[in-house]
């Protein structure tokens, strides 16, 4: 199936990046959020990023204008998904919310449409059970910032069909990404490996082993990580990190995934990282 129109549900950190990349690569995009204000902000962010790409001559003015025209912002999900071949869901990492949304998408999207989730940790097999088309449900796990990061983990649920997998993997390539096939397991590969490292970094700060800056410095200079784990947690969103750790802890049942109390406290205080202007670091411009 040729995918030419896609609905992206959720216009936050990830949804706006996915919408931008899809539009630049020629897809018609319906970007959906419950909030008009978020949609406006998302469109401004996309325009800003396109302008930056233009300034760096990574893209032409014609491409910028064409991409801008391909994106429509809506709050009405039913209208957004009525004629799409693919839906990419990027709402917060909350199983109840995603489960309800998949049931609604199943009722509203055309029968041939593929329903993909950008979830970082929730079971694709389980999301499939919320629909009557589990063979067309798949994980499309993009990385932040979406326009820059080339990896997409393509996650097969137990009932995901080979045709669905091939269509989505081909689309990822068309978006100039590198698809990597992974099985449906909590946190897939990326977050199964990354989140325990971030969690340990938070424990180091909580226990006074080293300062935030020094924990990050150790991992950057000692392990050649381009970014320290705490700066990365701020970029991902501390609420997102906490939600993923909760899933790993619950699903895998091992204490090593138990979220650090300091991480919980920061999320409770609204220190969510870059998106709120404060996490482990401060971001005055946000
Ligand atoms: P976010 O909080 O920045 O954005 C979520 C958006 O969804 C918000 O704008 C919210 O208003 C909107 N929303 C909530 N309920 C909705 C509904 N019913 N219909 C439409 N929109 C709704 O979250 P995010 O960081 O973009 O994460 C989204 C998903 O992507 C999560 O599953 C997360 O685990 C995953 N993910 C995040 C990252 C990251 O680095 N942030 C990386 C990879 C995957």
């Amino acid at each position: 199936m040729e995918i030419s129109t896609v609905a992206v549900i959720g216009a936050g950190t990830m949804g706006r990046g996915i919408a931008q990349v899809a539009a630049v690569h020629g897809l018609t995009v319906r970007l959906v959020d419950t909030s008009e204000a978020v949609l406006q902000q998302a469109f401004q962010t996309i325009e800003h990023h396109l302008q930056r790409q233009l300034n760096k001559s990574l893209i032409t003015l014609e491409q910028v204008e064409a991409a801008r025209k391909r994106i429509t912002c809506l709050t009405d999900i039913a209208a957004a998904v009525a004629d799409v071949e693919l839906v990419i869901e990027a709402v917060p990492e909350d199983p109840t919310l995603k489960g309800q949304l998949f049931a609604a998408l199943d009722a509203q999207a055309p029968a041939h449409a593929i329903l993909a989730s950008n979830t970082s940790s929730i079971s694709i097999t389980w999301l499939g059970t919320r629909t009557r088309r589990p063979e067309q449900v798949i994980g499309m796990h993009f990385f932040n910032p979406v326009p820059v990061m080339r990896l997409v983990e393509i996650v097969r649920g137990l009932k995901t069909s080979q045709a669905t997998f091939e269509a989505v993997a081909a689309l990822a390539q068309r978006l100039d990404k590198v698809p990597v096939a992974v099985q449906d397991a909590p946190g897939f590969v990326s977050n199964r490996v990354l989140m325990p490292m971030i969690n340990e970094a938070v424990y180091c700060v909580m226990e006074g082993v080293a300062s935030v800056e020094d924990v990050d410095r150790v991992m950057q200079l000692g392990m050649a990580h381009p970014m320290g784990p705490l700066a990365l947690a701020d970029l991902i969103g501390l609420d997102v990190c906490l939600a993923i750790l909760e899933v790993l802890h619950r699903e895998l049942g091992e204490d090593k995934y138990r979220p650090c109390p300091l991480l919980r406290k920061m999320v409770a205080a609204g220190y969510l990282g870059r998106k709120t202007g404060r996490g482990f670091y401060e971001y005055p411009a946000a």
Side-chain angles (χ1 to χ4, degrees), residues 62-134:
E62 293 70 41
Q63 284 175 306
V64 170
E65 277 166 7
R68 201 185 278 143
K69 281 193 199 130
R70 288 190 196 107
I71 302 175
T72 313
C73 294
L74 310 92
T75 51
D76 181 348
I77 292 194
V81 303
D83 63 346
V84 301
E85 291 91 31
L86 171 69
V87 179
I88 304 176
E89 168 277 309
V91 304
E93 191 74 350
D94 171 348
T96 309
L97 174 64
K98 288 196 196 274
Q100 286 168 354
L101 187 56
F102 267 70
L105 291 171
D106 186 41
Q108 292 160 341
H112 62 267
I114 293 172
L115 307 181
S117 176
N118 187 50
T119 179
S120 307
S121 58
I122 295 168
S123 165
I124 298 301
T125 306
W126 178 78
L127 283 176
T129 67
R130 307 294 92 190
T131 75
R132 288 158 302 167
R133 60 178 97 185

Side-chain angles (χ1 to χ4, degrees), residues 9-15 32-35 38 77 89-93 97-98 101 118-120 141-144 235-237 239-240 244 275:
I9 316 294
T13 310
M14 297 303 289
V32 181
D33 206 284
T34 45
S35 154
V38 169
I77 292 194
E89 168 277 309
V91 304
E93 191 74 350
L97 174 64
K98 288 196 196 274
L101 187 56
N118 187 50
T119 179
S120 307
H141 186 211
F142 289 86
F143 290 77
N144 184 15
L235 177 69
I236 294 169
D239 53 336
V240 176
I244 298 168
K275 63 185 163 188

Side-chain angles (χ1 to χ4, degrees), residues 210-241:
S211 67
V212 168
E213 291 77 8
D214 282 346
V215 168
D216 276 353
R217 211 168 275 136
V218 165
M219 298 307 287
Q220 283 180 279
L221 301 183
M223 320 302 158
H225 288 197
M227 190 176 211
L230 299 166
L232 180 57
D234 277 359
L235 177 69
I236 294 169
L238 301 192
D239 53 336
V240 176
C241 294

